[in-house]
Amino acid sequence: MDTPGSTARRTLTEPARELPVIAEPDVLVVGGGPAGLAAACAAARAGARTLLVEHYGFLGGTLTMVTLGGFCGIHAVVDDERLGRVSGGLCVELEERLAACDAIRPPKRHGRIVGVPYDSVRLRRVADEMIAAHGAHANFHTNAAAVQVDGARVHAVIVENKGGRAAIVPRVVVDASGDADVAARAGARCAIGDAGHTQYGSAMFR
């Protein structure tokens, strides 16, 4: 018998089972953070039947989950002068929707960085509104648990949630999971950080 803390490894064989195919979208986006939100809106706006699956019960990723507090990269500082906006498109739409509910403030400079303060809680609602406005659909509390590949192509993504285990068979998969969940499981080469070195974690509070 293995004792607690034992390094002995055992395996179990899981019986084969048939999984229901719950969706066959044109585009499946895995992960509802900033990249996934933009990808889903852009795909749906282009006319693709788009489904987004998200691990948590809300969209936004680090924008809404960890009280990030400000958008960076929308404005740039060069030679101590703040330039105008350097990003547009869906980013502008997001800011406009936040402004409509008084959830964003003017850009503020911090050294060589320009941040745009926003309300992370209200951004969750705004993200839902953007997905709906563009015609995409989102499944929350859903994890990408496995993939099936056909050659170099991801044929299906196996997902799990409180409803059980099921399959989604899309034409295209966008991996916006933040941890390359789909890409890694599909056999793509992945790296962590710069030669293994990663940015230190941090926390914000209010």
Side-chain angles (χ1 to χ4, degrees):
M1 176 182 293
D2 294 334
T3 58
S6 170
T7 57
R9 297 187 63 130
R10 301 169 57 199
T11 62
L12 294 174
T13 300
E14 190 175 25
R17 52 181 166 171
E18 293 186 352
L19 299 180
V21 175
I22 58 173
E24 298 183 62
D26 295 321
V27 177
L28 171 64
V29 179
V30 177
L37 175 63
C41 289
R45 184 172 61 183
R49 293 176 297 115
T50 304
L51 174 63
L52 182 153
V53 295
E54 164 59 37
H55 170 73
Y56 293 101
F58 52 87
L59 301 173
T62 55
L63 295 180
T64 55
M65 182 174 58
V66 298
T67 316
L68 194 59
F71 301 126
C72 293
I74 297 175
H75 302 267
V77 175
V78 177
D79 297 331
D80 293 328
E81 293 183 4
R82 182 168 64 83
L83 300 183
R85 180 187 301 278
V86 294
S87 62
L90 288 164
C91 181
V92 174
E93 179 183 341
L94 178 61
E95 286 189 276
E96 290 175 345
R97 289 179 178 274
L98 287 168
C101 61
D102 192 30
I104 195 169
R105 293 291 177 262
K108 187 173 183 179
R109 181 174 172 180
H110 304 276
R112 296 189 59 81
I113 298 173
V114 177
V116 181
Y118 67 91
D119 186 313
S120 59
V121 175
R122 277 181 280 185
L123 177 52
R124 297 181 183 185
R125 186 188 72 189
V126 167
D128 286 346
E129 292 172 350
M130 284 186 65
I131 286 288
H134 287 281
H137 299 276
N139 285 3
F140 295 104
H141 301 293
T142 300
N143 295 314
V147 301
Q148 289 188 356
V149 296
D150 181 6
R153 177 179 173 274
V154 174
H155 167 68
V157 176
I158 311 303
V159 297
E160 286 186 331
N161 55 31
K162 288 289 187 179
R165 192 173 175 97
I168 299 173
V169 181
R171 292 178 60 192
V172 175
V173 179
V174 177
D175 186 346
S177 64
D179 291 316
D181 290 343
V182 175
R185 290 185 172 98
R189 290 189 302 166
C190 299
I192 298 178
D194 181 6
H197 297 287
T198 59
Q199 181 177 341
Y200 287 108
S202 60
M204 298 184 69
F205 63 91
R206 66 181 183 186

